[in-house]
Amino acid sequence: MSEGFGLVVRFTLRDEEAAAAFDELCARTLEGIKESEPGTLTYVTHVPEGEPLVRVFYELYADRAAFDAHEEQPHTKHFLTEREQYLAGIEVTFLDAVKGKVAAQQ
């Protein structure tokens, strides 16, 4: 698994209205990821139990180059610019895979 590269991002949103708009932005961004990013193996948004204004992203890429390609996509650049208006905070943790199991791509 040494080639895998991932990250966990925790977003804290300003309020319920911001959360709804952020979720819509995420849905539009995900369409671009599904259509044009074969190196993005997993990209999932979670809402932690009991934290309705928090979103946690788990992202897994084939390698660092796939992550870099993701960052250069128009849909990702749009997301990075637009997200700021909805956020109260952000925390990013980069992950280097050591061992694990990854589902086969379909």
Side-chain angles (χ1 to χ4, degrees), residues 18-52:
F22 183 81
D23 290 343
E24 180 58 36
L25 176 63
C26 292
R28 289 191 313 267
T29 304
L30 184 58
E31 291 307 311
I33 291 168
K34 288 178 179 179
E35 291 173 9
S36 60
E37 296 187 26
T40 300
L41 306 178
T42 301
Y43 194 98
V44 181
T45 304
H46 305 269
V47 178
E49 288 186 23
E51 297 184 79

Side-chain angles (χ1 to χ4, degrees), residues 8-103:
V8 174
V9 185
R10 182 181 177 92
F11 296 102
T12 303
L13 302 159
R14 288 187 293 105
D15 53 33
E16 284 111 18
E17 185 178 319
F22 183 81
D23 290 343
E24 180 58 36
L25 176 63
C26 292
R28 289 191 313 267
T29 304
L30 184 58
E31 291 307 311
I33 291 168
K34 288 178 179 179
E35 291 173 9
S36 60
E37 296 187 26
T40 300
L41 306 178
T42 301
Y43 194 98
V44 181
T45 304
H46 305 269
V47 178
E49 288 186 23
E51 297 184 79
L53 297 181
V54 173
R55 301 295 181 271
V56 177
F57 285 22
Y58 175 69
E59 304 173 34
L60 181 64
Y61 300 89
D63 51 29
R64 180 63 190 239
F67 170 73
D68 292 341
H70 163 76
E71 292 286 289
E72 292 302 317
Q73 297 297 315
H75 52 265
T76 301
K77 288 183 176 186
H78 177 76
F79 172 80
L80 294 173
T81 300
E82 292 296 313
R83 72 181 185 183
E84 298 304 318
Q85 63 189 310
Y86 308 121
L87 301 180
I90 184 172
E91 180 182 323
V92 180
T93 303
F94 290 97
L95 308 166
D96 287 320
V98 178
K99 293 185 183 198
K101 176 185 179 284
V102 177

